[in-house]
Amino acid sequence: MIEVVATPSETTLVLAGDLDVAERDAFPEVRARVAGMRHGRLVVDMCGVTFMDSTGAAFLISLADAGKERCSETVLRGAGERDLFVLSVCGVLDLFVIQADCDVEGHTPNR
């Protein structure tokens, strides 16, 4: 599941379940919606993500790259150690602000 929630100051992308090749058809539309919102900050809430493959990592990287072009920050909230390791191996962890805690707004991690 992918849900986009916008407030006046930021856009939150709430992800749940597997972020993998099976979801890739949804990625272009989500990227376009997020890019069109033009907020200064994108929060990618990964508290509900149970698995991420390289397709999901590429999606996150594309979001961060687009944000960087707009001079906005991309926050990863609740990314698991495995997810952070994948992004680290890709050499892109510095594109993200890491917020480890899922306790924001009552979220609890799924893993």
Side-chain angles (χ1 to χ4, degrees):
M1 177 200 75
I2 302 174
E3 180 183 359
V4 180
V5 179
T7 67
S9 61
E10 69 185 26
T11 300
T12 301
L13 188 60
V14 181
L15 308 174
D18 294 348
L19 188 61
D20 61 6
V21 70
E23 294 294 323
R24 77 173 165 206
D25 289 342
F27 295 164
E29 178 186 340
V30 171
R31 255 191 314 269
R33 286 185 61 199
V34 168
M37 292 186 175
R38 303 278 184 208
H39 291 110
R41 176 175 148 118
L42 171 65
V43 177
V44 180
D45 186 328
M46 296 185 62
C47 296
V49 173
T50 53
F51 173 77
M52 180 180 76
D53 70 4
S54 60
T55 308
F59 172 60
L60 295 179
I61 294 165
S62 72
L63 292 173
D65 282 340
K68 190 174 180 180
E69 288 176 12
R70 293 188 316 272
C71 296
S72 67
E73 68 180 4
T74 303
V75 177
L76 286 184
R77 177 186 297 152
E81 287 182 36
R82 179 182 59 227
D83 304 325
L84 295 174
F85 174 75
V86 169
L87 294 170
S88 176
V89 167
C90 293
V92 297
L93 204 51
D94 62 330
L95 292 176
F96 303 93
V97 174
I98 307 302
Q99 182 184 3
D101 199 2
C102 280
D103 291 335
V104 176
E105 302 172 24
H107 290 278
T108 54
N110 248 1
R111 346 178 192 196

